[in-house]
């Protein structure tokens, strides 16, 4: 069983730029959630995708957007990057149809905005 | 929306000492509760979870947690810690309706176990 993978591992961007982060869900999972983990903090929920549709969103501005593809992989896009967007971005997959809300996390993408 | 409070930011213990990490949440309805662990250089892993039934749940590596509904608490315990338990521990809660159905994490507790 393949676990959750994320790419890239690290990324450095300049303020104002745009970034796309990618996530491949664990085999058999149809739900992907994205989290932002700032240094010294717990993960904060950004949004969740279930069967290619957004299914819940946290307190993040519209410049944070996402996609889920038919194979259940997902992208997180952030426009107009700000310095405070520097964080570890985590992707987690789960299988909502099985009634299990246990989420399996990927290793994360470390984004640095300068 | 729910919130999670972890009382200790950093805990330092010697090997074989007993561990208890506090977690309190605020949410008025039915909850699912989780403890996740993040070992140095590794991704978040589920340690244990509570959905319903026996409020004392056992997880991996000898960890257990007790759900006390009247206190809105879900404290993590281990009778005897090992050096390999050095990690960051996160408590998380999932509510039962609307926006509360997403995972909300506490700010984490860094555990350092001295050999």
């Amino acid at each position: 069983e393949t676990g959750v993978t994320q790419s890239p591992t690290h990324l450095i961007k300049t303020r104002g730029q745009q970034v796309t982060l990618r996530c491949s869900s664990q085999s058999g999972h149809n739900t992907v959630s994205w989290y932002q983990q700032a240094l010294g903090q717990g993960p904060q929920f950004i949004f969740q995708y279930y069967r290619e549709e957004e299914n819940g969103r946290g307190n993040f501005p519209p410049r944070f957007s996402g996609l889920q593809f038919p194979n259940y992989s997902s992208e997180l896009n952030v426009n107009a990057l700000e310095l405070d967007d520097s964080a570890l971005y985590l992707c987690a997959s789960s299988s909502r149809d099985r009634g299990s809300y246990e989420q399996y996390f990927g290793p994360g993408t470390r984004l640095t905005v300068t | 929306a729910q919130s999670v409070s972890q009382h200790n930011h950093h805990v330092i213990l010697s090997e074989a000492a007993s561990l208890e990490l506090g977690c309190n949440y605020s949410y008025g309805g039915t909850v699912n509760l989780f403890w996740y662990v993040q070992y140095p250089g590794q991704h978040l892993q589920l340690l244990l979870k509570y959905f319903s039934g026996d409020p004392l749940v056992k997880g991996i590596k000898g960890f257990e947690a007790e759900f006390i509904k009247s206190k809105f608490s879900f404290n993590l315990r281990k009778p005897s810690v090992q050096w390999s338990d050095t990690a960051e521990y996160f408590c998380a809660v999932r509510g039962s309706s609307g926006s509360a159905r997403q995972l909300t994490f506490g700010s984490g507790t860094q555990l350092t176990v001295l050999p």
Side-chain angles (χ1 to χ4, degrees):
Chain A
E1 191 175 73
T2 308
V4 179
T5 60
Q6 292 185 245
S7 63
T9 306
H10 295 90
L11 202 53
I12 300 175
K13 288 287 190 178
T14 303
R15 190 170 51 184
Q17 286 187 314
Q18 178 265 344
V19 69
T20 298
L21 310 182
R22 295 177 175 83
C23 170
S24 290
S25 59
Q26 185 165 310
S27 168
H29 287 181
N30 55 18
T31 303
V32 171
S33 303
W34 285 92
Y35 295 85
Q36 181 194 69
Q37 187 177 13
L39 206 58
Q41 299 295 320
Q44 268 197 295
F45 174 70
I46 302 175
F47 44 55
Q48 183 181 83
Y49 278 84
Y50 170 63
R51 295 192 171 187
E52 302 179 59
E53 292 197 1
E54 189 178 288
N55 177 50
R57 188 179 182 92
N59 190 25
F60 280 82
R63 60 189 185 84
F64 285 77
S65 63
L67 282 173
Q68 187 179 31
F69 300 100
N71 66 354
Y72 303 127
S73 66
S74 177
E75 286 182 355
L76 164 66
N77 299 290
V78 187
N79 293 323
L81 283 167
E82 300 177 0
L83 297 179
D84 284 349
D85 295 333
S86 295
L88 181 68
Y89 288 85
L90 298 170
C91 165
S93 75
S94 56
S95 178
R96 183 172 158 176
D97 292 343
R98 296 178 190 172
S100 167
Y101 302 102
E102 182 175 334
Q103 297 191 4
Y104 294 80
F105 284 81
T109 293
R110 173 74 60 187
L111 172 65
T112 302
V113 182
T114 62
Chain B
Q2 67 268 34
S3 65
V4 180
S5 175
Q6 292 184 243
H7 314 297
N8 308 102
H9 185 63
H10 195 179
V11 172
I12 302 174
L13 295 172
S14 298
E15 272 193 318
S18 64
L19 169 72
E20 181 160 3
L21 300 182
C23 172
N24 285 91
Y25 67 92
S26 65
Y27 184 72
T30 303
V31 292
N32 303 141
L33 296 158
F34 307 83
W35 276 96
Y36 281 86
V37 61
Q38 193 167 30
Y39 297 104
Q42 296 188 27
H43 56 270
L44 272 171
Q45 302 171 42
L46 183 67
L47 206 50
L48 49 79
K49 62 188 177 187
Y50 171 80
F51 277 24
S52 63
D54 189 344
L56 184 62
V57 293
K58 296 189 184 300
I60 60 172
K61 304 186 180 185
F63 286 91
E64 64 179 32
E66 185 175 13
F67 170 48
I68 303 179
K69 189 175 180 180
S70 60
K71 294 185 178 180
F72 298 89
S73 70
F74 190 56
N75 291 355
L76 180 70
R77 299 195 292 247
K78 186 171 184 178
S80 175
V81 295
Q82 301 173 314
W83 177 79
S84 59
D85 292 326
T86 294
E88 187 145 24
Y89 293 80
F90 294 94
C91 180
V93 63
R94 179 184 177 278
S96 53
S97 63
S99 61
R101 292 169 71 180
Q102 308 305 338
L103 266 186
T104 299
F105 285 84
S107 57
T109 297
Q110 175 65 48
L111 172 65
T112 301
V113 180
L114 304 175

